[in-house]
Amino acid sequence: MAAPRAAPPRRPRPRPRPRLPPLPPPLLLLLLLPAPSGGLDHSAELAFAVEPSDEVAVPGQPVVLGCRVEGTPPVRITWRKNGVELPEGPHPTVLANGSLVIRHFQPDQGDGPSDEGDYECVAQNRFGLVVSRKARIQAATMSDFHVHPQAVAGEEGGVARFQCQIHGLPKPLITWEKNRVPIDTDNERYTLLPKGVLQITGLRAEDSGVFHCVASNIASARVSHGARLTVSGSGSGVYKEPTILVGPENLTLTVHQTAVLECVATGNPRPIVSWSRLDGRPIGVEGIQVLGTGNLIISDVTVQHSGVYVCAANRPGTRVRRTAQGRLVVQAPAEFVQHPQSISRPAGTTAMFTCQAQGEPPPHVTWLKNGQVLGPGGHVRLKNNNSTLTISGIGPEDEAIYQCVAENSAGSSQASARLTVLWAEGLPGPPINVRAASVSSTEVRVSWDEPLVNTKEIIGYVLHIRKAADPPELEYQEAVSKGTAQHLVSDLEPSTAYSFHIKAYTPRGASSASAPALASTLGEAPAPPPLSVRELGSSTLQLLWEPWPRLALHRGGFKLFYRPASRAAFTGPVVLPGTASSYNLSQLDPTAVYEVKLLAYNQHGEGNATVRFVSLRGASERTALGPPCDCRKEEASGQMSTTGIVVGIHIGVTCIIFCVLFLLFGQRGRVLLCKDVENQLSPPQGPRSQRDPGILALDGARLGDRGPLGRGEKRADMKELEQLFPPAGAGGQPDRGPGPGPGPSQDAAAAAPCEDAPLSVLPRQGSGLREARTAEAQAPCAGLAATPPPQDAGSGLLGEGHAARPSSAPAAQPALSGQ
């Protein structure tokens, strides 16, 4: 196509500023006429048929914001500006049909009145009040050019690109002039992009000239500086790699707008431009076109068009290519998937509205009650990201029009629904004089008096209970017979404040809720803390438990006591804060069994203690049985005679036999439990799975009053002891009598403590319980007969194969380290 004809240069002339024409008389007459009322008499609701939209106004020109409402008359329409009701007056004026007219728009100039802002149409009738979406009025503006076109020098057959940037409201329309004459848009080599870019491909000598960018909107028109294009001789014979001069920019648009993705590529031979999506999805063909030699145009964009677009410049016939990419983000204004529906509910019941909206980005939902923002609290609950509004125990004051407003950065929408409260005649009034008094740490007694009116049809009461600090949705109810005026609420938490209110029920409905009553349960001492023990070394134990932060709030903490099982007195208490969760006991006697007690306390006293019996295992335990015989002593002699060899063989065989017999009897001694040792065992408490496999810790309460903590502690369950450690009568042997004196079987056992005594084998867990291999284990009964057991029955050793340590044996005094 031929280039546009050149025109003689001429000086720039000022362009007249466009102005909005005054409203013609027929339009003014139409605005002043009242809205048709044909559908109003038949609608019991109140809703918007027309809502105001955003406007861009020219200073001094009129602006009209439309608003039309359907509902039962009389309907009163007012307007708000920036949330404040506009006073009635000539500026602005509310027309008979509800529209708002500003006859002479005043922009914001920093001082004085301004008509710029957010406007809302407010409609009200006897059923309630609704508010329209916000409509923003802005002044039309035009700034100076931020980017002027720059001079370009190109070769014949090459590409030239001019760009200008300017901001305006509404968005300026960009055109181009060459030598002060509008360019010929029919020339296929000239491509004009809406964002203010001029591309010229296949340059020719006649394309040389001075180019200007012209921007115009309803506010004004501006012309940029001139930029000269110089076209030199052809360089078509020189090979050039494909190059992308300008790639696509990141764009953020709203649905239904047009996206222009620019891609300008050069090279010799001329590269081929192609487009793709980075995520591999097809671009499609609907509304897609290519402008110029490589610009991608997507008209009427949708949210599905969002993504990263890749422009590729390929050298023809090869795989040589260059790429550039840009991200397109498409936003969608909030729109409703589910509108709230008007409902009618009896008084005292629950009303629920559901409102679901979608958009990009996801919209935020708020609720209005008769035009006022409604937040959660009292009997109003908002759930599911505010999409569900629940009103419990509705009364006449809840009858209103409720609006769901969905808003995001791309726009806002609103939908409304009406709540009608059905109030039956003759319902009783609310119960009066509601009182709540604490009975214990878990019980509160609530009492009340009958309603003042309409009490004959009452069939019962419903008591509503919740923690004072909890939201209303955590409330629960308990039914109460009509024959009583009080109720004992149990299973409450200690030292906790509760709120109570009550309703009277009849076959026709419920009364309104009574005034709430508050009461706090009494406090109590804390429960025994769960305690576990871990071995850190041959003489160190780590005590572990769960921290109780609430103890610190009630001036509480933990107290720790410990002692060797053979001693009568405890060491302690070691006072620990309520936030503590561990403590270390170090420098312990590895041959002793320790009794550890942990209790929690608060301002109400001390709770019961958790008791653990712990036996350490150390290097001394593993070598307590003594070193095995040394069968290689005879090898020290250097005699090499035949007699020495024969004697050595006999000695070696004898030594081996002696070692085997020693190991067999040693193993038997490790599993046999004599009667005296068995009587000193304390029963384990708690599941075996809670024991640390590295130590033998038999959990349980105290077996007797052995220290200052005897009060309030449970005694051992002897049935559980018999299950874990079978008595002598198990396995077909007769049981010992319960009398305090020794029975016949006990005398027999005393005479032959090991020959006929039944075996009691502790159950093994994990890798097995470790046995304390003391010197007495080599002769499991000989040393026990002469060793009297400790006076305290609960002080015996707890463990498989453990023997009682003589009371004269010294015990190491442990050192403590807190953690």
Side-chain angles (χ1 to χ4, degrees):
M1 178 175 286
R5 293 176 296 178
R10 54 189 176 91
R11 298 175 61 185
R13 61 181 184 273
R15 296 176 178 267
R17 185 175 67 182
R19 298 173 59 88
L20 287 180
L23 294 175
L27 180 56
L28 282 176
L29 181 61
L30 179 62
L31 292 176
L32 293 173
L33 289 176
S37 59
L40 298 182
D41 295 336
H42 304 285
S43 175
E45 307 299 334
L46 187 63
F48 289 99
V50 176
E51 293 187 76
S53 57
D54 296 344
E55 298 288 344
V56 177
V58 177
Q61 297 295 314
V63 182
V64 178
L65 295 178
C67 178
R68 186 162 63 88
V69 182
E70 294 180 349
T72 302
V75 177
R76 180 174 177 264
I77 296 180
T78 57
W79 284 81
R80 295 176 184 173
K81 177 187 174 184
N82 297 330
V84 179
E85 185 174 348
L86 285 173
E88 296 183 1
H91 184 84
T93 303
V94 180
L95 303 180
N97 65 353
S99 299
L100 181 70
V101 175
I102 303 174
R103 299 187 179 278
H104 301 282
F105 175 75
Q106 299 179 9
D108 185 5
Q109 298 178 348
D111 55 349
S114 170
D115 293 322
E116 293 188 67
D118 294 331
Y119 289 79
E120 298 168 297
C121 180
V122 181
Q124 185 175 8
N125 65 1
R126 63 187 179 92
F127 296 114
L129 181 148
V130 292
V131 180
S132 72
R133 66 175 299 274
K134 292 180 180 179
R136 176 165 296 180
I137 298 181
Q138 297 174 279
T141 59
M142 175 74 78
S143 68
D144 292 329
F145 280 94
H146 301 288
V147 175
H148 289 269
Q150 302 296 318
V152 176
E155 298 178 347
E156 289 187 357
V159 177
R161 179 181 182 273
F162 295 100
Q163 180 181 11
C164 66
Q165 288 184 4
I166 189 171
H167 295 319
L169 192 67
K171 185 178 180 180
L173 174 65
I174 304 297
T175 59
W176 287 86
E177 293 179 349
K178 175 188 173 185
N179 298 329
R180 304 307 301 163
V181 176
I183 65 171
D184 184 5
T185 56
D186 293 333
N187 190 335
E188 61 181 8
R189 297 189 299 111
Y190 282 59
T191 302
L192 279 72
L193 302 183
K195 63 179 182 177
V197 173
L198 171 63
Q199 299 174 356
I200 307 175
T201 58
L203 286 176
R204 302 174 183 174
E206 61 267 23
D207 294 328
S208 299
V210 178
F211 290 80
H212 291 84
C213 174
V214 181
S216 60
N217 66 4
I218 60 175
S220 63
R222 297 187 185 277
V223 180
S224 71
H225 299 161
R228 181 172 294 278
L229 171 62
T230 303
V231 181
S232 60
S234 173
S236 58
V238 180
Y239 169 76
K240 294 182 180 180
E241 288 284 343
T243 303
I244 296 180
L245 296 180
V246 179
E249 297 178 346
N250 295 332
L251 296 178
T252 299
L253 303 176
T254 306
V255 290
H256 307 309
Q257 291 184 329
T258 298
V260 179
L261 302 175
E262 183 182 8
C263 186
V264 178
T266 62
N268 193 10
R270 184 176 177 179
I272 300 174
V273 176
S274 61
W275 286 90
S276 63
R277 287 178 60 118
L278 190 62
D279 56 9
R281 294 172 54 189
I283 295 179
V285 296
E286 187 72 21
I288 305 295
Q289 60 177 328
V290 177
L291 186 61
T293 59
N295 306 291
L296 182 66
I297 308 298
I298 307 176
S299 59
D300 194 20
V301 295
T302 64
V303 176
Q304 287 71 29
H305 287 121
S306 295
V308 177
Y309 289 78
V310 181
C311 163
N314 298 72
R315 178 185 173 188
T318 69
R319 294 186 178 181
V320 179
R321 59 183 295 179
R322 298 292 183 270
T323 61
Q325 63 185 31
R327 180 179 296 275
L328 172 62
V329 177
V330 181
Q331 296 182 342
E335 62 178 358
F336 291 104
V337 178
Q338 180 178 357
H339 291 75
Q341 302 295 320
S342 297
I343 56 176
S344 300
R345 293 289 183 270
T349 60
T350 298
M352 179 181 296
F353 295 100
T354 301
C355 168
Q356 294 185 357
Q358 66 181 8
E360 185 60 38
H364 174 68
V365 175
T366 57
W367 287 88
L368 306 179
K369 176 186 177 182
N370 284 339
Q372 301 298 321
V373 176
L374 184 65
H379 64 309
V380 176
R381 290 172 286 175
L382 295 175
K383 297 189 297 184
N384 302 326
N385 292 328
N386 292 357
S387 63
T388 301
L389 169 65
T390 303
I391 310 171
S392 59
I394 60 175
E397 67 279 1
D398 297 309
E399 191 169 79
I401 294 180
Y402 293 84
Q403 283 182 272
C404 173
V405 180
E407 187 174 9
N408 63 6
S409 57
S412 65
S413 299
Q414 65 83 31
S416 60
R418 177 185 163 208
L419 171 61
T420 302
V421 179
L422 303 177
W423 189 260
E425 295 294 334
L427 288 179
I432 59 175
N433 299 329
V434 180
R435 304 169 297 278
S438 299
V439 177
S440 67
S441 60
T442 60
E443 296 176 324
V444 171
R445 186 177 303 278
V446 182
S447 58
W448 61 92
D449 294 336
E450 282 190 345
L452 297 177
V453 295
N454 302 327
T455 60
K456 293 182 179 180
E457 296 185 7
I458 292 179
I459 58 177
Y461 299 91
V462 172
L463 182 61
H464 298 250
I465 308 160
R466 69 177 176 89
K467 292 182 182 178
D470 284 349
E473 55 263 27
L474 298 182
E475 172 188 281
Y476 66 97
Q477 298 87 33
E478 291 184 6
V480 184
S481 170
K482 68 173 182 178
T484 181
Q486 64 178 3
H487 183 68
L488 184 64
V489 184
S490 57
D491 296 330
L492 303 179
E493 295 184 9
S495 302
T496 305
Y498 285 87
S499 175
F500 308 90
H501 69 269
I502 192 167
K503 295 180 181 179
Y505 276 78
T506 69
R508 293 185 295 168
S511 71
S512 57
S514 69
L518 298 176
S520 296
T521 53
L522 302 177
E524 67 176 2
L531 175 63
S532 60
V533 186
R534 178 182 300 170
E535 180 185 11
L536 297 182
S538 61
S539 62
T540 303
L541 292 176
Q542 184 181 36
L543 311 179
L544 301 170
W545 63 91
E546 291 293 332
W548 291 359
R550 292 189 60 182
L551 282 178
L553 300 178
H554 297 85
R555 302 191 300 276
F558 297 98
K559 290 183 180 181
L560 175 65
F561 300 82
Y562 63 94
R563 69 170 181 179
S566 61
R567 291 176 176 260
F570 281 88
T571 301
V574 179
V575 180
L576 302 172
T579 56
S581 60
S582 64
Y583 196 82
N584 288 355
L585 296 176
S586 60
Q587 298 183 11
L588 302 177
D589 182 3
T591 65
V593 172
Y594 284 88
E595 181 179 1
V596 180
K597 296 187 177 186
L598 181 70
L599 62 85
Y601 68 93
N602 57 18
Q603 75 270 29
H604 302 291
E606 297 179 352
N608 292 332
T610 301
V611 182
R612 296 289 183 266
F613 291 89
V614 183
S615 176
L616 283 165
R617 60 173 185 179
S620 60
E621 293 176 324
R622 292 190 291 270
T623 60
L625 291 176
C629 61
D630 189 356
C631 299
R632 296 176 298 176
K633 288 183 179 181
E634 296 301 330
E635 297 177 4
S637 62
Q639 300 179 3
M640 299 300 297
S641 62
T642 304
T643 304
I645 294 175
V646 173
V647 172
I649 291 175
H650 283 79
I651 293 175
V653 172
T654 304
C655 188
I656 291 174
I657 294 174
F658 176 78
C659 290
V660 171
L661 293 176
F662 180 84
L663 292 177
L664 289 176
F665 282 103
Q667 179 68 20
R668 177 179 177 85
R670 289 161 59 188
V671 299
L672 286 176
L673 292 178
C674 297
K675 179 182 68 175
D676 293 335
V677 177
E678 183 178 356
N679 288 340
Q680 297 177 29
L681 291 175
S682 297
Q685 301 289 336
R688 291 169 51 190
S689 60
Q690 296 179 356
R691 306 175 194 168
D692 193 296
I695 58 173
L696 176 62
L698 300 181
D699 309 334
R702 303 183 49 188
L703 299 179
D705 188 7
R706 296 174 293 186
L709 300 179
R711 184 182 307 170
E713 297 180 358
K714 298 179 180 178
R715 294 186 173 273
D717 189 349
M718 297 308 296
K719 292 183 180 180
E720 183 180 5
L721 176 62
E722 293 174 0
Q723 294 174 3
L724 293 176
F725 304 99
Q733 297 294 334
D735 295 338
R736 291 191 293 269
S745 60
Q746 292 174 324
D747 296 336
C754 283
E755 293 178 356
D756 299 324
L759 298 182
S760 295
V761 182
L762 290 178
R764 295 182 177 270
Q765 172 192 0
S767 59
L769 301 177
R770 301 301 182 106
E771 301 105 12
R773 304 180 180 125
T774 60
E776 290 82 356
Q778 298 181 12
C781 293
L784 290 175
T787 303
Q791 295 180 0
D792 191 345
S795 302
L797 295 181
L798 302 180
E800 179 185 347
H802 278 299
R805 183 169 53 84
S807 59
S808 59
Q813 186 66 24
L816 304 179
S817 61
Q819 179 175 345

